[in-house]
Structure formats: C-alpha cells, structure tokens
Amino acid sequence: MGKCPFSFMHGVTSRNDNVESPAAQPMQANFMKSAADTFHTLDGHDELNEQMRMIDLTEEDLKLLRRTKPIVERNIDYITDQFYNSVLGVDKLEAIILEHSTIERLKKTLHEHIIEIFDGNVDDAYIAKRLLIANIHKRVGLEPKWYLSAFQNLQNVFIHVIYNETTNDDDRLLIVQTVTKLLNLEQQLVLEAYEKENIKEKEQQYQSVKNELKQKIAEFSGELIDLSIDTNAAVEQLVASSNEVNNTFQRTASSALESQGMAKNGREHLDNLTGQINRIYESTNEMELSVNELSNSSKQIQKIVAAVKDIADQTKILSLNATIEAARAGEHGRGFSVVAQEVSRLAEDTKSTVVRIGELTQKSGDLTGQVVEEIRKVQELTRSGKLQSIETSRLFTDIVDSMQSSTQEIVTVEEEIKILIQTIEGIGSTTAQTAASAEFFKSATDGL
C-alpha cells in the first residue's frame, strides 16, 4: 500500500502537555543566527524562492535545523505517539488510516519524515516528495482541514519538545521560529499541490460534463432537426390537404350557388304553375256554371218538346175529325179531306221531329251530366294540385332559404380555411426556422 497521508502530517495537540519528553535535560547551545544570513534559493523555482523570501527562510535557518536534529531524534517516539494519539481520536481519520495502511507502519513513516525535515535540505527532491504527499492525501480522500489540524498539532508538539530541551529563551524563540518557517513552507507546498489537483479534477469533471453535454445537445439537436423535418413534412401535407379541402369547398360553394339559382327558378316556375292552376280552377268554375245553364236549357227544351208533342197529338186528332167530317160531306168535303190529310201528315212529322229532338235533348242532358261530373273531378284534381303546388312552393322556399344559409356558412368556412392555411404555412415557416436554429445549435456544440 501507499503511504497514508498521516505519515506526512506534522502535529497533534498533546493530550499530556505536562508530560516531559524522554530527553528533558536542558540543552546548552548557541543557536544565534549570523547577521549576514542569506535567503535560501532553488534554481528554476522563482515563485517558490519568493515564498521562502516572504517567510524569511535563510540558509542559517537550515543550518539551525541540522543543529536541532539531535533533539528531535531523542524525542521522535514521543512526537509520533502524541501525533497518532490525537489523530486516532477522530473516527473518520482512523477509518481512512485502517483502510489504507497500519498504525505501526505509519508511525515508522512519520518517524523518517520528521527526521528528514531536520536534515535541512530543501532541494528538488524535498519539494517533489512534498508534492507526492499531497497527491496521496488527495487520492485517499483526506480533506485539507484535517491536514491543517494535524499539522498544527505537530507544531505544538515540536514547541513542547523544544521548550523542554532548551533553557535559553532566545534559543527557544529562534528554534521555534525556524521550525515554524519550515512547517509553513511544507504546508504551502502541500496545499498548493492540493489546489492544483482540485483544479485538475474540476477541469476533468468540467470536460466530462462538457463532453456529455455536447453529446446530449448534439443528440437533442439531431432529434430536433429530425422532428422539425417530420413536422415540416406534416405541415406541408396538411397545407396540401387544406388546399384540397378549400378547393372542394369552393366547388361545393359554386354548386350550392348554382343549386340556389335553380331552386329560385323552380320556385318561380311553381309560382307560375300555381297561377295557371288557379286560372284553370276559375275556368272550370265558370264552365260548370255554363254547363249547368245548358242543362237547364235542355230541361226547358224537353218541356217545350213535350208541349209540342201534345199539340201534335191534338192536331192529329183534329185532322182525323176533319177527315171524318169531310167524308160525311161527300163531294163538298173532299178539299177539307186533303187539308186534313196534310195536317195529319204535318202533325206526324212534327211529332216525329219533336220526338227526335226530345231524344237528342235527353242525350245532350246525359252528356251534360257526365261533363258536369268530369268538371267536378277536374275541379277536385285542380284543387288538390293547387294545394300540392302551394306546399311544393313552400318547400322550395324553405330549400332556397336553407341553401342560402348553407351557402353563407360555406363561404364563412372557406374564409376560415384560408386563415387556417395561412396559419399552417406560418407554422411551417416557424418549423423551418426551428430546424435551421437546431442545425446552427448543433454546429455550435460541435465547436465547443
């Protein structure tokens, strides 16, 4: 396994601040720095050199660390024990340690790391190792706040050890300042690496999200283009169908107008027919009156015929009497006999003629009765035809009114269809613009 991040964390707050370190004997040494100290620098690390200059890390500080190394070596077990006693008090940190390493192994690693700090060699290898530490911390999921907390605890332990190992306040202050500088530099290196890793991770996440977004946008744009194409085709089909419906409506409207005109003509013809039927009905009424008068005349003639027949019969009787009287008169009555015979013959002819007239008038009366009956039938049919004509005329009027209303509705629907076609064409134009926008959108995402 790789080194746990706590191998490189520097500090715990001592749980037994009143416990002295194993080597608690005061140390008598001169740790005063020279007035001619120079800042420590590294080739090719301009920014890092500025950082070391800002915290006032000098070559003399590194020499002081090397002179302090024996103090740390004598107290190394105490320092590592105090560090891990604090760290293991946090459940989350203990879980990370046990997942990636063991306590004994990490104590050994921390032991080596602390001694290495006091070698006083701040070079490329030293910097690379601190950057590696930061990468390990990041990989195992150690948050910067725990790293900083542990570092502060480690610094507190160093100060405690230094105060137990030295008696001169100036020496103590100088060593504490030097140790603090180096620990601060290490924190800068690790946190900077933390930040770079975070930025790199965020860039990777951003790139991943960006690529996924591009893919989704491209898919969406493609679907939108396909949908726009399908919609445009459907709109075109709808426009074509609407135009066809509009043409059909126009033809229907034209036929309705023509039918309306024909219905009006039919109603006019029916009105004319009704007038003719009315005139026929009136004529039949007048004819009935004339026939009735003719019938009455026939009856009068029959009476006259009967009277003439009676006269003829009486004349014949008188002629017979005259003949008889002429025969009695002998030679003197012969002329009367001739006259009587002529009168008798005239009476016969008159009677025969009157009988013939009577027969004709009887027949004429019968025919007149039949004519009257037929006239009555014609009157009944005419009356029925008149009623039917009136009803038909009314129906034609209703048809004309209905057709006029339907024609008006068809015209209204035609106008609405024209508006609908314009609207659909507007939708088609908008759909085409949407497709163009989707194509542009897709091209734009390809350029991301």
Side-chain angles (χ1 to χ4, degrees), residues 137-201:
H137 288 173
K138 179 67 178 176
R139 188 174 67 249
V140 300
L142 179 66
E143 299 174 78
K145 62 182 180 180
W146 300 116
Y147 170 77
L148 292 174
S149 298
F151 227 91
Q152 181 62 46
N153 290 338
L154 183 59
Q155 179 174 295
N156 293 339
V157 174
F158 280 144
I159 293 174
H160 181 75
V161 170
I162 290 169
Y163 267 77
N164 287 336
E165 290 285 345
T166 58
T167 57
N168 186 284
D169 289 340
D170 292 335
D171 292 341
R172 289 172 176 171
L173 178 61
L174 188 60
I175 296 173
V176 169
Q177 287 177 338
T178 299
V179 171
T180 301
K181 291 177 185 179
L182 197 65
L183 293 180
N184 180 270
L185 177 63
E186 183 157 336
Q187 284 179 308
Q188 291 183 41
L189 293 172
V190 172
L191 291 179
E192 183 180 7
Y194 253 115
E195 183 179 5
K196 289 181 178 179
E197 282 297 316
N198 281 330
I199 292 174
K200 181 179 178 181
E201 184 178 277

Side-chain angles (χ1 to χ4, degrees), residues 92-152:
K92 183 176 182 179
L93 302 182
E94 182 179 4
I96 295 177
I97 290 174
L98 296 178
E99 181 181 356
H100 296 89
S101 187
T102 63
I103 300 299
E104 293 304 320
R105 182 178 178 182
L106 292 179
K107 282 185 177 182
K108 182 179 178 181
T109 303
L110 181 61
H111 181 285
E112 296 173 354
H113 182 69
I114 291 174
I115 296 301
E116 186 180 72
I117 292 176
F118 287 88
D119 286 341
N121 295 322
V122 180
D123 52 14
D124 288 338
Y126 179 90
I127 294 171
K129 190 169 185 179
R130 269 63 196 167
L131 297 179
L132 178 62
I133 292 171
N135 291 332
I136 295 175
H137 288 173
K138 179 67 178 176
R139 188 174 67 249
V140 300
L142 179 66
E143 299 174 78
K145 62 182 180 180
W146 300 116
Y147 170 77
L148 292 174
S149 298
F151 227 91
Q152 181 62 46

Side-chain angles (χ1 to χ4, degrees), residues 351-378:
K351 182 178 179 180
S352 176
T353 301
V354 170
V355 171
R356 180 62 180 164
I357 291 172
E359 291 174 356
L360 291 175
T361 55
Q362 181 65 36
K363 188 175 181 180
S364 176
D366 293 339
L367 292 174
T368 301
Q370 292 178 3
V371 171
V372 171
E373 185 64 25
E374 291 299 327
I375 289 174
R376 288 176 181 174
K377 290 181 181 179
V378 171

Side-chain angles (χ1 to χ4, degrees), residues 322-339:
T323 301
I324 292 173
E325 291 297 329
R328 284 180 182 177
E331 190 67 28
H332 298 287
R334 185 177 297 174
F336 286 102
S337 176
V338 175
V339 173

Side-chain angles (χ1 to χ4, degrees), residues 83-357:
F83 175 81
Y84 279 105
N85 286 341
S86 177
V87 170
L88 294 175
V90 180
D91 294 339
K92 183 176 182 179
L93 302 182
E94 182 179 4
I96 295 177
I97 290 174
L98 296 178
E99 181 181 356
H100 296 89
S101 187
T102 63
I103 300 299
E104 293 304 320
R105 182 178 178 182
L106 292 179
K107 282 185 177 182
K108 182 179 178 181
T109 303
L110 181 61
H111 181 285
E112 296 173 354
H113 182 69
I114 291 174
I115 296 301
E116 186 180 72
I117 292 176
F118 287 88
D119 286 341
N121 295 322
V122 180
D123 52 14
D124 288 338
Y126 179 90
I127 294 171
K129 190 169 185 179
R130 269 63 196 167
L131 297 179
L132 178 62
I133 292 171
N135 291 332
I136 295 175
H137 288 173
K138 179 67 178 176
R139 188 174 67 249
V140 300
L142 179 66
E143 299 174 78
K145 62 182 180 180
W146 300 116
Y147 170 77
L148 292 174
S149 298
F151 227 91
Q152 181 62 46
N153 290 338
L154 183 59
Q155 179 174 295
N156 293 339
V157 174
F158 280 144
I159 293 174
H160 181 75
V161 170
I162 290 169
Y163 267 77
N164 287 336
E165 290 285 345
T166 58
T167 57
N168 186 284
D169 289 340
D170 292 335
D171 292 341
R172 289 172 176 171
L173 178 61
L174 188 60
I175 296 173
V176 169
Q177 287 177 338
T178 299
V179 171
T180 301
K181 291 177 185 179
L182 197 65
L183 293 180
N184 180 270
L185 177 63
E186 183 157 336
Q187 284 179 308
Q188 291 183 41
L189 293 172
V190 172
L191 291 179
E192 183 180 7
Y194 253 115
E195 183 179 5
K196 289 181 178 179
E197 282 297 316
N198 281 330
I199 292 174
K200 181 179 178 181
E201 184 178 277
K202 290 184 182 302
E203 288 178 349
Q204 291 175 347
Q205 291 176 350
Y206 167 75
Q207 191 63 37
S208 176
V209 171
K210 178 181 175 181
N211 291 335
E212 183 178 359
L213 181 61
K214 284 177 61 178
Q215 182 180 358
K216 294 294 184 182
I217 291 175
E219 293 175 357
F220 171 74
S221 299
E223 293 175 358
L224 184 59
I225 292 172
D226 294 339
L227 180 60
S228 299
I229 293 174
D230 294 340
T231 303
N232 193 45
V235 168
E236 290 178 354
Q237 181 63 35
L238 185 58
V239 169
S241 299
S242 300
N243 286 327
E244 182 62 29
V245 171
N246 186 43
N247 293 333
T248 301
F249 264 102
Q250 289 179 347
R251 290 193 297 270
T252 303
S254 178
S255 298
L257 290 173
E258 184 178 353
S259 299
Q260 184 180 2
M262 294 172 65
K264 287 182 179 179
N265 293 332
R267 186 176 64 180
E268 292 175 357
H269 287 303
L270 275 177
D271 291 339
N272 294 331
L273 178 60
T274 301
Q276 292 177 2
I277 291 175
N278 288 332
R279 287 191 293 273
I280 292 172
Y281 184 75
E282 292 173 357
S283 296
T284 55
N285 286 336
E286 294 177 356
M287 186 183 296
E288 184 180 10
L289 293 175
S290 298
V291 171
N292 286 333
E293 290 180 359
L294 179 60
S295 178
N296 292 330
S297 298
S298 296
K299 290 178 181 179
Q300 294 295 327
I301 292 172
Q302 286 179 352
K303 289 180 181 181
I304 294 171
V305 168
V308 171
K309 184 179 179 182
D310 289 340
I311 293 173
D313 288 339
Q314 291 177 5
T315 302
K316 186 175 181 181
I317 292 173
L318 289 174
S319 174
L320 180 60
N321 290 334
T323 301
I324 292 173
E325 291 297 329
R328 284 180 182 177
E331 190 67 28
H332 298 287
R334 185 177 297 174
F336 286 102
S337 176
V338 175
V339 173
Q341 289 177 354
E342 290 296 326
V343 170
S344 177
R345 187 178 59 81
L346 179 62
E348 281 295 329
D349 291 340
T350 301
K351 182 178 179 180
S352 176
T353 301
V354 170
V355 171
R356 180 62 180 164
I357 291 172

